[in-house]
């Protein structure tokens, strides 16, 4: 509800600050007194812009309101948006200047206008010819139908919402796994080709270096063989004999002399190395007796280099990629039990989701029929005897792309003011006065549930009077037992039933015209009702009629 409303420098309104009753509030006043300006102020609470014509060039227009956020849903919303509440109240403040600059505050914090609209859009509803935005909101009719359901139905709707999220999550995870498997299966051919390439060559870890050495040796085979022959000949020829004789000669010298001992060791080491050279030369010579095919070696090296280029750059990388490819293919051939378990869980969730969706659909069919019948009956009492209201429901297959978090239904409110006319969407078919009365009928039918919001009706009395006006007033009074109701009216019959009566007055002198808003009670209220009835204050018959209306509204007599 709106606890308090303050408006300053808006059109002809200099300033007013009023505490609003939490039930049934009416605004009355002569035509042109400024009721439209007051509705514009409430529009500003919905995040809308003010008409520039209402903003003075010399001063800023200000609209402030304190909203009651004591309800559980509103408390949760405040927490979600990190809004500061004081005594469970949220202060909204908006200032407007002629140059289109706007300052917006929620709970003392500067915010964009869009956030104000998001916060108040589900809290304040204006029913009138120009204010049908909520009727075009997605799922407005669907939410209204569900709100009419009992606690068991609401629990089903909530369970469906949670299970739908679970289903979408499981379905998404399975799709990701399958997409990953498909992607890897597309890689399988590449991996298999890698395995085939490497296994056909079957390289050793250091084979690329060994082949390089072999090829280099074969390219220099003549030089190698010549050098080896020279080494063998020296090790077996005169030089070898001379070194042996030198060793024997030195070993026969004085072995107690350290210098002779050292000389003997050096000659022995030289002879040993010389013999080693000969032995190595013989072995190498035997290795090169059978010369390998250099063309075959170069072909082998070309294959090795291809593997290094494709799967390297080192042979360790090549062999590592082979092992990884073999492991990946093994996993692809056996993806494991996780997917099977996920699929089983998904099928179970789908089965439960279908059952819940079907139960919700049956409930919604019954609820829609009850609402259609009840609202149509209400319309007859509101001076629309030939009108018909239909809750039109369409269902889509469960688990289809049209299956949403809210279920498988789409619901529209259809209306016709005469049975000879075609049914059409409420927002497009109903006129301003019809729309206000239709929304009143809907809200009265739906009012069995306490809700935290404000219902504002404009033009609800268009084209009605007498008994129909009394019926409208009674229904507004009934509706105010569950939510705050604010009504702009020209009908005394409606105003008499209000819990709080505000009068908008326009006063003028030679220099200015000022609009004021005041609360009227007691005698002042009798006079305002008589003015509404007779067009002038103080009419004896009008005052008597006003007393009769007040008595009727209070359930007694005056």
């Amino acid at each position: 509800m709106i606890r308090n409303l303050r408006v300053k420098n808006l059109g002809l309104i200099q300033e007013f600050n009023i505490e609003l009753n939490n039930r049934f509030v009416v605004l009355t006043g002569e035509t042109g007194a400024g009721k439209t300006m007051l509705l514009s102020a409430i529009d500003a609470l919905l995040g809308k812009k003010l008409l520039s014509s209402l903003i003075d060039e010399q001063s800023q227009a200000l609209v402030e309101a304190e909203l009651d956020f004591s309800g559980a849903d509103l408390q949760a919303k405040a927490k979600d948006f990190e809004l500061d509440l004081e005594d469970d109240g949220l202060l909204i403040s908006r200032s407007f200047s002629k140059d289109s600059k706007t300052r917006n505050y929620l709970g003392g914090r500067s915010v964009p206008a869009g956030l104000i609209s998001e916060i108040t859009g589900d809290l304040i509803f204006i029913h009138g010819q120009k204010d049908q935005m909520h009727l075009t909101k997605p799922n407005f009719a669907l939410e209204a139908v569900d709100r009419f359901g009992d606690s068991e139905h609401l629990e089903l709707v909530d369970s469906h919402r949670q299970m739908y999220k679970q289903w979408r999550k499981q379905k998404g995870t399975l799709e990701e796994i399958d997409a990953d498997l498909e992607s890897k299966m597309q890689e399988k051919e590449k991996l298999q080709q890698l395995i085939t390439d490497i296994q056909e060559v079957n390289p050793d870890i250091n084979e690329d270096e060994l082949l390089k050495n072999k090829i280099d040796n074969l390219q220099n085979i003549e030089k190698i063989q010549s050098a080896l022959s020279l080494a063998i000949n020296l090790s077996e020829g005169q030089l070898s004999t001379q070194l042996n004789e030198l060793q024997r000669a030195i070993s026969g010298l004085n072995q107690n002399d350290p210098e002779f001992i050292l000389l003997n060791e050096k000659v022995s080491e030289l002879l040993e190395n010389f013999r080693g050279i000969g032995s190595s030369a013989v072995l190498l010579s035997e290795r090169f007796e059978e010369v390998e095919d250099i063309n075959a070696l170069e072909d082998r090296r070309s294959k090795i280099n291809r593997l290094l280029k494709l799967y390297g750059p080192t042979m360790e990388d090549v062999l590592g990629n082979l092992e990884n490819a073999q492991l990946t293919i093994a996993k692809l051939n056996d993806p494991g039990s996780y997917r099977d378990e996920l699929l089983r869980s998904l099928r179970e969730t789908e089965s439960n989701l279908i059952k819940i969706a079907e139960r919700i659909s049956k409930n919604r069919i019954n609820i829609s029929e009850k609402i259609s019948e009840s609202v149509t009956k209400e319309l007859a009492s509101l001076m629309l005897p030939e009108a018909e209201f239909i809750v039109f429901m369409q269902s889509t297959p469960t688990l289809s792309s049209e299956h949403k978090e809210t279920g498988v239904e789409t619901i529209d409110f259809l209306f016709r003011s005469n049975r000879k006319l075609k049914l059409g969407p409420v927002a497009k078919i109903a006129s301003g006065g019809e729309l206000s009365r239709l929304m009143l009928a809907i809200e009265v039918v739906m009012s069995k549930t306490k809700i935290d919001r404000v219902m504002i009706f404009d033009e609800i009395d268009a084209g009605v009077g007498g008994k129909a006006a009394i019926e409208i007033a009674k229904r507004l009074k009934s509706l105010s037992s569950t939510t705050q109701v604010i009504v702009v009216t020209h009908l005394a019959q409606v105003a008499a039933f209000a819990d709080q009566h505000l009068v908008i007055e326009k006063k003028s002198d030679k220099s200015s015209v000022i609009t004021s808003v005041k609360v009227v009670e007691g005698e002042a209220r009798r006079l305002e009702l008589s003015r509404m009835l007779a067009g002038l204050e103080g009419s004896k018959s009008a005052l008597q009629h006003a007393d009769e209306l007040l008595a009727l509204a209070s359930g007694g007599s005056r």
Side-chain angles (χ1 to χ4, degrees):
M1 61 164 282
I2 302 175
R3 291 179 178 176
N4 173 273
L5 180 64
R6 180 189 177 206
V7 179
K8 184 177 180 181
N9 299 325
L10 178 62
L12 299 177
I13 299 174
Q14 282 191 341
E15 183 173 8
F16 72 81
N17 189 349
I18 293 180
E19 300 289 331
L20 295 179
N21 188 279
N22 64 354
R23 298 193 66 180
F24 186 9
V25 181
V26 296
L27 285 80
T28 65
E30 293 183 358
T31 301
K35 295 187 290 294
T36 300
M37 283 181 280
L38 196 58
L39 289 176
S40 295
I42 295 175
D43 272 342
L45 300 180
L46 292 168
K48 299 178 182 179
K49 294 182 178 180
L50 289 178
L51 293 174
S52 59
S53 59
L54 297 177
I55 305 172
D56 190 270
E57 292 185 1
Q58 305 300 322
S59 56
Q60 288 187 331
L62 176 69
V63 177
E64 285 187 347
E66 183 186 6
L67 306 183
D68 188 328
F69 261 59
S70 58
D73 291 343
L74 295 176
Q75 291 269 326
K77 178 177 282 193
K79 185 176 181 180
D80 289 341
F81 287 94
E82 299 180 349
L83 300 175
D84 293 329
L85 302 181
E86 185 173 345
D87 295 329
D88 291 332
L90 175 67
L91 181 64
I92 298 177
S93 178
R94 303 191 72 199
S95 62
F96 305 83
S97 59
K98 197 71 173 180
D99 58 5
S100 299
K101 289 184 179 179
T102 305
R103 291 182 174 85
N104 312 292
Y105 296 90
L106 273 177
R109 175 161 58 95
S110 179
V111 298
L115 181 57
I116 290 180
S117 177
E118 190 169 355
I119 293 295
T120 61
D122 294 328
L123 177 62
I124 300 174
F125 285 72
I126 301 179
H127 297 305
Q129 190 169 8
K130 298 179 181 179
D131 299 281
Q132 305 163 357
M133 184 172 62
H134 55 283
L135 288 175
T136 60
K137 286 181 61 177
N139 297 327
F140 172 79
L142 182 65
E143 291 173 3
V145 168
D146 284 339
R147 183 159 56 89
F148 194 77
D150 57 21
S151 59
E152 182 181 352
H153 174 73
L154 293 176
E155 288 176 5
L156 278 176
V157 171
D158 185 62
S159 296
H160 180 277
R161 184 177 293 108
Q162 300 303 322
M163 191 164 294
Y164 177 87
K165 291 178 180 178
Q166 180 182 346
W167 172 62
R168 293 294 300 171
K169 183 177 180 180
Q170 291 175 334
K171 193 168 181 285
T173 302
L174 184 64
E175 288 172 352
E176 287 177 3
I177 290 175
D178 288 343
D180 187 47
L181 286 174
E182 183 179 353
S183 175
K184 287 182 178 178
M185 289 302 288
Q186 291 173 355
E187 293 180 27
K188 188 174 181 179
E189 290 185 6
K190 294 181 180 179
L191 294 174
Q192 191 60 60
Q193 185 62 50
L194 179 150
I195 294 170
T196 301
D197 287 346
I198 298 174
Q199 286 183 339
E200 283 181 351
V201 177
N202 192 24
D204 291 328
I205 187 69
N206 296 318
E207 189 173 359
D208 51 334
E209 287 296 325
L210 293 175
L211 287 171
K212 182 178 181 299
N213 290 336
K214 283 184 178 183
I215 291 171
D216 286 344
N217 287 339
L218 288 174
Q219 289 173 340
N220 296 281
I221 189 63
E222 292 182 358
K223 293 179 180 180
I224 292 172
Q225 288 176 337
S226 176
L228 292 176
S229 296
L230 179 59
I232 292 170
N233 290 337
L234 287 173
S235 66
E236 294 177 351
Q238 184 179 2
L239 182 57
S240 176
T241 302
Q242 290 175 341
L243 285 173
N244 283 322
E245 290 177 354
L246 176 60
Q247 184 186 37
R248 284 195 298 271
I250 292 174
S251 63
L253 300 177
N254 184 3
Q255 291 301 307
N256 294 320
D257 188 331
E259 293 185 2
F260 284 123
I261 293 173
L262 180 59
L263 179 60
N264 187 37
E265 289 176 353
K266 289 182 177 181
V267 171
S268 296
E269 183 179 353
L270 176 60
L271 182 59
E272 185 178 351
N273 288 336
F274 186 68
R275 288 171 179 167
I277 290 172
S279 299
S280 296
V282 170
L283 291 174
L284 284 170
S285 179
E286 291 175 353
R287 184 176 131 194
F288 286 100
E289 283 180 358
E290 294 184 7
V291 179
E292 292 186 71
D293 184 352
I294 190 171
N295 291 328
L297 292 175
E298 287 181 339
D299 180 61
R300 176 72 178 174
R301 189 183 181 193
S302 176
K303 293 178 179 179
I304 294 293
N305 285 336
R306 177 177 175 273
L307 294 181
L308 293 173
K309 184 177 180 180
L310 292 175
Y311 312 118
T314 68
M315 188 55 68
E316 287 185 356
D317 294 327
V318 172
L319 297 177
N321 284 329
L322 172 64
E323 183 178 357
N324 289 336
Q326 290 170 329
L327 288 174
T328 300
I329 286 182
K331 290 179 180 179
L332 290 174
N333 292 334
D334 181 15
S337 60
Y338 175 68
R339 184 187 182 281
D340 295 337
E341 177 61 25
L342 180 62
L343 182 60
R344 185 200 63 76
S345 180
L346 175 64
R347 295 292 178 254
E348 182 179 342
T349 300
E350 287 178 340
S351 176
N352 292 332
L353 189 63
I354 290 171
K355 291 177 182 178
I356 292 178
E358 289 175 347
R359 290 176 64 188
I360 290 174
S361 295
K362 291 180 180 178
N363 287 348
R364 284 173 174 167
I365 290 172
N366 293 331
I367 293 170
S368 296
E369 291 174 351
K370 291 178 181 178
I371 294 176
S372 298
E373 182 180 347
S374 298
V375 172
T376 299
K377 185 177 180 180
E378 283 291 328
L379 288 172
S381 300
L382 296 175
M383 199 75 177
L384 292 170
E386 295 299 318
E388 183 179 19
F389 176 81
I390 297 292
V391 179
F392 180 67
M393 187 174 79
Q394 290 179 299
S395 298
T396 56
T398 53
L399 307 183
S400 69
S401 59
E402 298 301 316
H403 190 158
K404 306 297 182 184
E405 186 177 321
T406 53
V408 297
E409 286 80 33
T410 56
I411 296 181
D412 293 304
F413 287 163
L414 304 183
F415 173 78
R416 57 183 172 188
S417 58
N418 190 292
R419 302 299 172 102
K420 296 179 181 179
L421 301 176
K422 289 184 178 181
L423 287 163
V426 166
K428 296 181 179 179
I429 297 296
S431 65
E434 290 171 344
L435 181 62
S436 292
R437 277 175 276 169
L438 173 57
M439 291 311 301
L440 174 59
I442 293 172
E443 293 299 342
V444 168
V445 170
M446 308 291 286
S447 65
K448 67 186 186 68
T449 304
K450 172 75 175 174
I451 48 177
D452 298 313
R453 60 179 180 175
V454 183
M455 307 300 300
I456 300 173
F457 292 91
D458 184 28
E459 300 185 29
I460 196 168
D461 52 5
V464 300
K467 183 179 179 181
I470 296 294
E471 293 300 321
I472 289 175
K474 288 180 178 179
R475 281 155 179 79
L476 288 168
K477 184 74 172 181
S478 173
L479 180 60
S480 70
S481 65
T482 58
T483 187
Q484 186 182 42
V485 176
I486 300 174
V487 180
V488 178
T489 183
H490 293 285
L491 292 177
Q493 293 93 327
V494 173
F497 280 77
D499 296 295
Q500 183 182 38
H501 190 155
L502 306 180
V503 176
I504 303 174
E505 291 182 325
K506 184 168 64 174
K507 297 180 179 180
S508 60
D509 54 29
K510 293 181 180 180
S511 60
S512 64
V513 178
I514 297 174
T515 291
S516 64
V517 181
K518 64 179 181 180
V519 178
V520 293
E521 298 174 330
E523 187 63 22
R525 188 180 184 195
R526 287 183 69 227
L527 289 173
E528 172 61 13
L529 291 175
S530 70
R531 181 200 63 77
M532 297 173 71
L533 289 164
L536 67 153
E537 292 183 0
S539 165
K540 188 174 181 180
S541 60
L543 285 171
Q544 185 178 357
H545 192 184
D547 289 338
E548 291 174 354
L549 288 175
L550 290 170
L552 177 64
S554 63
S557 60
R558 290 176 64 106

